[in-house]
Amino acid sequence: MICPNCQENVLYKERPSYTCSKCRRTFALEPRANSLRLHDARFLRVAAKLTDNGRMKITESQFWFVLSRKTLNSVRGPRSGVPTAIGCLAFGLPVGAGLCFTGVAVGGGAYFLVVLGALLVLAAVGGAVGNVQDGRKRYDTLPLSPFREQAMARWKFAYGSLPPGIVDDATLRRTPRPERPRAALLCADLAVASFLAANDLPARYGVEISTTVQALPDGVPVVVLHDAGAIGSVQVLAARDALPGRRVVDAGLRPRVVMKAKGAVVPHGTAPSAADVRRLRAAGTLTAEELTWLADGWWSPLVGAPPVKLLNAVSTVLERVTGSADANDPDRRRAETLGFLTWPDAGTA
């Protein structure tokens, strides 16, 4: 590892207790002590790239998603793992056993059937084991809490503060609210809400950001930002029910955006209730393919979307809702050239 202080290459045995034996100075991250194999140089490099050297703010959770993207599940379906393993056994075992039995019963030159049947049985068992292992690998994700303990807390201990541009997930709670909001933004994910607040969206657009319907200001349009999942999609319908007569704009992450998007974080969770699926189908805003995808339990977290794309997309919606003349902002023009997820147009009630 290259020491971040003296830039010397130090072996593992030469850096005990997070201390370089050559310059005697401490560092924050030991690659062998964290599951992401992070070291100080990579931590700083990724942070600088994501935040444009501190000019844009991102939250700790967003930083974790970017660092963990390669190890997070990115499977979109059909579901693998145990169900597929059962399918392998259900087909391979009876067919293979039948071939073996036929070969033995016929005898003579039919023994090749025994060999073929045995190979099929072995293939079925091997396929089943492989699918179970693959399913476990796909469904496991690296936890966020250990990342905070192993990386973020260690960094603060070593350097006194996080790198420029990285803010904590509760920044929203310390952000002043506009006195006369022109619109409200409802986002149940505190990390995403804090990300938007840290990038001055409340001041730029006169928007009040809330994580619950009950905390929304009265008499202004509401923009709902949500995950690509059944729960997130239902949140829009629930907001419209709770705010009769108010303009409610669905600016959430749509399933069709992430179902096939390369690199999108798409874990498998608990299937939604039948009532929620019926409610989404009756709303008529999702395609049959999207409904099937959601009903099977697939989803994509909003906090896992590329930060610069997310900021640009929300800014675009708020400009439309509030009539803000901010389209020529240089930061926004730069943001439009980055990221890889295509964001959908927002629909209105």
Side-chain angles (χ1 to χ4, degrees), residues 39-185:
H39 51 78
D40 291 29
R42 184 187 170 213
F43 193 92
L44 270 179
R45 184 172 62 251
V46 175
K49 182 177 180 180
L50 287 173
T51 65
D52 193 15
N53 293 314
R55 283 183 283 272
M56 186 179 81
K57 305 297 189 293
I58 65 171
T59 60
E60 293 177 337
S61 292
Q62 289 175 305
F63 192 34
W64 172 78
F65 266 100
V66 172
L67 291 170
S68 305
R69 189 174 300 281
K70 290 184 179 179
T71 59
L72 289 171
N73 168 41
S74 292
V75 182
R76 290 153 187 79
R79 197 184 308 185
S80 60
V82 174
T84 308
I86 294 174
C88 290
L89 294 175
F91 172 78
L93 290 183
V95 175
L99 290 174
C100 290
F101 178 79
T102 302
V104 172
V106 173
Y111 281 108
F112 75 93
L113 293 176
V114 177
V115 176
L116 181 61
L119 290 175
L120 186 58
V121 170
L122 290 175
V125 173
V129 172
N131 272 283
V132 170
Q133 293 176 341
D134 182 61
R136 287 174 179 168
K137 178 184 69 176
R138 291 172 186 268
Y139 300 155
D140 286 343
T141 58
L142 297 177
L144 176 59
S145 294
F147 169 74
R148 288 198 179 104
E149 296 167 2
Q150 296 171 13
M152 310 305 274
R154 274 293 314 169
W155 192 275
K156 292 176 184 177
F157 176 79
Y159 299 111
S161 62
L162 293 174
I166 308 295
V167 299
D168 67 74
D169 288 358
T171 297
L172 174 69
R173 295 170 181 163
R174 301 186 298 274
T175 303
R177 297 184 177 186
E179 293 183 4
R180 296 181 179 83
R182 289 182 288 171
L185 193 149

Side-chain angles (χ1 to χ4, degrees), residues 11-60:
L11 302 176
Y12 180 61
K13 63 182 180 181
E14 297 175 324
R15 51 182 198 263
S17 302
Y18 296 87
T19 303
C20 173
S21 60
K22 297 183 179 180
C23 69
R24 303 298 180 182
R25 297 173 66 183
T26 60
F27 53 88
L29 305 174
E30 168 54 59
R32 295 196 182 189
N34 66 83
S35 56
L36 292 175
R37 309 290 290 178
L38 286 173
H39 51 78
D40 291 29
R42 184 187 170 213
F43 193 92
L44 270 179
R45 184 172 62 251
V46 175
K49 182 177 180 180
L50 287 173
T51 65
D52 193 15
N53 293 314
R55 283 183 283 272
M56 186 179 81
K57 305 297 189 293
I58 65 171
T59 60
E60 293 177 337

